[in-house]
Amino acid sequence: MASNIIILMMIMVLRVVEGAAERAFFVFGDSLVDTGNNNYLATSARADSPPYGIDYPTHRPTGRFSNGLNIPDIISEKLGIEPTLPYLSPELQGEKLLVGANFASAGVGVLNDTGIQFVNIIRIGQQLEYFAEYQKRVGALIGSEKAKQLVKEGLVLITLGGNDFVNNYYLVPFSVRSRQYMLPDYVSYVISEYKNVLQKLYSLGARRVIVTGTGPLGCVPAELAQRSRDGSCADDLQQAAVLFNPQLVEMLNGLNSEIGSHVFVAANTNQMHLDFITDPQAFGFVTSKVACCGQGPYNGMGLCTPLSNLCSNRDEYAFWDPFHPTEKANRIIVEQILTGTTDYMHPMNLSTIMVMDSKA
């Protein structure tokens, strides 16, 4: 019985790769999925110096907030397609455009005032404007009708929300937003603004959109260093995640009902992270509290720089820097995106999506 299940899974994965061969991939969001757009901006939200990229194939920093590959890279790898280039990269020309594009920018949130301390970042409204511009560029290359089809058949990943809490509401005590809203009201406001973003994305032609929730915000090394006395997750940020993630799923269900199709798919990245945070040894990690690269308590203070403490084996750490997972942790997350049950992916995982779309 077990061998039959394994064979079926292998067939499914093969069919996914075959169905993905010519499918464009578009990425929107923040530092968890940015592949280097911020390299081209005058901003402090950057990952273009060592030891970032230490385990990337070139062993050089790329602008990814990772020791190696990040979530979009690994999704592309699993689907057998080229990795998408940052939209601001001068290499994104000609045939490369047909692969898709990554519009994400470290530091951004759903709200425009999120990440203002980073100065020049590509806020989500601008990312969507670039998406419209991208379609015109592709239209000039292959014709407007084929460009529309490319986008319609494309896969979209969007990751937003975490910075609206970490780099806005809870950035400083008595922040503007925390004085303006009680937390439940702020969550509702962010969700309502996120709905506008997703409706705009739909109006621009996106028809298969994976929307990730926030991770367990209070459990990252940066928050442990600032807010935890005993290594337990910070309650206030955890409460934000507990409120935000179910409301996000509810909002996505509502959008799908309005549209009459499963356009938006919810990825429960909160649970995906919690799995290896609560039981790191089960996934081969030595720790899920201490960052591989950083300084201070839990290596959670400041930035990851050449002067930081640096672990020798990144595969033993769930977190690379004070906020971001290691490549190994990202691979665990992508595995759930691909094949996870409805506890992780609602209403279906990416493998199911690709098989369904290959039959359409």
Side-chain angles (χ1 to χ4, degrees), residues 76-91:
S76 294
E77 176 192 281
K78 293 290 185 182
L79 297 183
I81 57 180
E82 286 183 52
T84 53
L85 288 169
Y87 186 67
L88 298 184
S89 170
E91 295 178 33

Side-chain angles (χ1 to χ4, degrees), residues 72-341:
D73 294 323
I74 299 164
I75 289 176
S76 294
E77 176 192 281
K78 293 290 185 182
L79 297 183
I81 57 180
E82 286 183 52
T84 53
L85 288 169
Y87 186 67
L88 298 184
S89 170
E91 295 178 33
L92 189 65
Q93 302 286 341
E95 296 291 313
K96 292 283 186 185
L97 286 164
L98 305 183
V99 176
N102 187 311
F103 303 91
S105 176
V108 306
V110 174
L111 307 181
N112 280 334
D113 59 306
T114 292
I116 55 172
Q117 70 272 30
F118 301 124
V119 190
N120 293 313
I121 51 179
I122 312 170
R123 290 179 170 78
I124 190 60
Q126 181 64 59
Q127 291 183 32
L128 295 175
E129 287 178 23
Y130 280 150
F131 188 37
E133 180 182 283
Y134 162 88
Q135 293 184 43
K136 290 178 182 176
R137 292 173 64 188
V138 173
L141 190 68
I142 60 174
S144 60
E145 287 306 310
K146 285 185 178 178
K148 285 179 185 175
Q149 195 68 15
L150 182 89
V151 169
K152 181 182 177 183
E153 294 176 356
L155 176 68
V156 176
L157 173 70
I158 184 166
T159 295
L160 287 172
N163 282 326
D164 293 291
F165 300 99
V166 172
N167 282 308
N168 192 330
Y169 195 84
Y170 289 113
L171 178 63
V172 292
F174 311 110
S175 67
V176 172
R177 287 298 191 184
S178 66
R179 283 183 280 119
Q180 186 180 11
Y181 292 100
M182 296 295 287
L183 179 62
D185 297 327
Y186 180 71
V187 169
S188 297
Y189 173 55
V190 174
I191 291 289
S192 68
E193 291 298 303
Y194 205 168
K195 182 177 181 179
N196 294 336
V197 168
L198 296 176
Q199 286 174 321
K200 176 67 173 176
L201 193 54
Y202 180 80
S203 74
L204 288 168
R207 293 296 179 268
R208 282 295 190 197
V209 185
I210 296 173
V211 184
T212 70
T214 72
L217 300 171
C219 301
V220 301
E223 301 304 333
L224 296 183
Q226 294 177 54
R227 300 168 185 270
S228 177
R229 293 184 178 180
D230 60 359
S232 58
C233 301
D235 288 339
D236 46 3
L237 279 150
Q238 284 301 91
Q239 183 61 21
V242 165
L243 289 172
F244 179 84
N245 288 305
Q247 288 188 44
L248 177 64
V249 175
E250 186 180 348
M251 180 263 282
L252 298 178
N253 287 340
L255 275 175
N256 286 335
S257 294
E258 291 171 23
I259 294 165
S261 177
H262 292 307
V263 170
F264 298 102
V265 175
N268 187 352
T269 40
N270 189 61
Q271 188 58 52
M272 295 174 195
H273 279 84
L274 276 175
D275 285 350
F276 56 74
I277 283 172
T278 54
D279 190 3
Q281 285 74 29
F283 296 87
F285 296 123
V286 170
T287 177
S288 61
K289 295 183 186 297
V290 181
C292 168
C293 182
Q295 46 273 324
Y298 308 101
N299 274 348
M301 303 298 288
L303 302 172
C304 173
T305 73
L307 300 177
S308 298
N309 301 318
L310 179 65
C311 68
S312 58
N313 185 351
R314 274 69 68 183
D315 284 349
E316 292 181 349
Y317 287 70
F319 284 95
W320 157 245
D321 68 11
F323 287 104
H324 303 94
T326 55
E327 177 180 322
K328 181 177 176 179
N330 283 332
R331 288 188 176 279
I332 294 167
I333 292 164
V334 170
E335 202 57 46
Q336 293 290 14
I337 290 173
L338 271 169
T339 61
T341 66

